[in-house]
Amino acid sequence: NAGVTQTPKFQVLKTGQSMTLQCAQDMNHNSMYWYRQDPGMGLRLIYYSASEGTTDKGEVPNGYNVSRLNKREFSLRLESAAPSQTSVYFCASRIGSNYEQYFGPGTRLTVT
Amino acid sequence: KQEVTQIPAALSVPEGENLVLNCSFTDSAIYNLQWFRQDPGKGLTSLLLIQSSQREQTSGRLNASLDKSSGRSTLYIAASQPGDSATYLCAAERSGTYKYIFGTGTRLKVLA
C-alpha cells in the first residue's frame, strides 16, 4: 500500500498562473481532505470530501476549488495563484468519522 | 469557534526523561482527538486517536489522555530518546463536523 500520495512534491508558479495538485489514496477511504500549513498558523482546512460525490468548504477555501474525481482521488485547483498561496499543501484521508486521518507527504508551493 | 492550543511551543529535554505535552481546546463537544508527529519537511504521522467515549490510548512509550470536562488532552512520552525529536500536533474534531482543528504544535528536542 502506498497510502496517500501527492503530486507534485515541489512547484513554483508565477502570480496569475493556474495549477492542480493531485492526491490519491489506496486505502479505500471514504473521506478526503486538503490542508495548508504555514509557519505560526498550523494546519488549516481548505476543503474536504466526507464521501465520494460530496465536497464542502473548510476554514480557508477562497482562491481554491476541488474535485472528488472518484473514491481514490481528490484534486485541489488554484485558478489564479497569488503569493499568499505560498504554502505547504497536505492531503489526508480516513475511512470516515471516528477514524484516524492519514496524511500524504505534502506539496511545497511557491508563488512569485 | 473551536480553538486548539498547544503549550509550550518548544521544549528541550535530556534523553531518558519522561515528558508531557499539552493540548487544550475550547469546545467540550469534542468527537475525536488525534495526536500526530511531524518531522522536518515531512508529512504528519498519526500517533494516537482518542475517541469521544474513551479516556486514553496507549501505544508503546506513548500514552494520550482526554478530559473533555477540562478541555485538555495530554501526550505522555516515557523514557524519551533523540529519535523522538519532532513537532507534535494535536487535532480536535467537533461532533458531526467531519473537520479537525489543529493546534500549532510543540517542537520537541531530546538531547543525547
Side-chain angles (χ1 to χ4, degrees):
Chain A
N1 279 358
V4 180
T5 57
Q6 293 184 237
T7 55
K9 286 187 169 48
F10 302 93
Q11 184 71 48
V12 179
L13 291 178
K14 292 188 185 332
T15 297
Q17 287 185 320
S18 62
M19 80 161 293
T20 300
L21 281 65
Q22 306 286 355
C23 174
Q25 51 88 13
D26 62 0
M27 297 176 282
N28 202 34
H29 286 174
N30 294 305
S31 303
M32 297 185 74
Y33 303 80
W34 276 106
Y35 294 90
R36 59 178 290 173
Q37 185 175 37
D38 302 291
M41 301 288 290
L43 273 89
R44 292 180 291 169
L45 182 65
I46 305 171
Y47 271 94
Y48 68 101
S49 171
S51 61
E52 186 180 357
T54 69
T55 60
D56 283 288
K57 295 178 182 178
E59 187 184 352
V60 288
N62 291 345
Y64 305 95
N65 284 301
V66 290
S67 295
R68 183 74 184 266
L69 305 169
N70 48 54
K71 191 171 185 179
R72 287 187 64 247
E73 298 171 290
F74 189 37
S75 63
L76 179 72
R77 182 158 178 85
L78 287 70
E79 291 290 353
S80 179
S84 60
Q85 293 177 306
T86 293
S87 188
V88 181
Y89 291 85
F90 288 103
C91 177
S93 71
R94 62 176 177 169
I95 294 172
S97 190
N98 221 30
Y99 288 87
E100 291 176 87
Q101 280 193 71
Y102 293 90
F103 278 74
T107 293
R108 190 172 296 272
L109 175 67
T110 302
V111 183
T112 62
Chain B
K1 180 185 173 185
Q2 171 72 274
E3 290 188 357
V4 180
T5 305
Q6 292 184 252
I7 295 173
L11 182 62
S12 190
V13 300
E15 182 177 7
E17 266 203 15
N18 301 325
L19 57 101
V20 174
L21 306 181
N22 295 298
C23 174
S24 301
F25 45 89
T26 55
D27 190 342
S28 62
I30 290 301
Y31 197 44
N32 295 315
L33 192 130
Q34 192 168 357
W35 282 93
F36 296 87
R37 168 190 173 131
Q38 186 176 29
D39 293 288
K42 304 290 186 185
L44 280 69
T45 300
S46 176
L47 296 174
L48 291 165
L49 168 69
I50 311 175
Q51 297 170 350
S52 179
S53 60
Q54 299 171 329
R55 294 231 172 196
E56 64 178 324
Q57 285 286 338
T58 298
S59 175
R61 293 183 294 109
L62 305 179
N63 176 275
S65 65
L66 175 62
D67 184 344
K68 292 197 297 175
S69 63
S70 66
R72 285 189 61 193
S73 177
T74 59
L75 178 67
Y76 175 83
I77 302 176
S80 58
Q81 303 170 357
D84 294 330
S85 298
T87 296
Y88 290 79
L89 297 148
C90 67
E93 177 188 12
R94 194 172 187 277
S95 178
T97 64
Y98 279 94
K99 297 183 285 189
Y100 275 97
I101 304 295
F102 278 80
T104 52
T106 294
R107 192 170 61 253
L108 173 66
K109 188 166 187 177
V110 180
L111 305 169

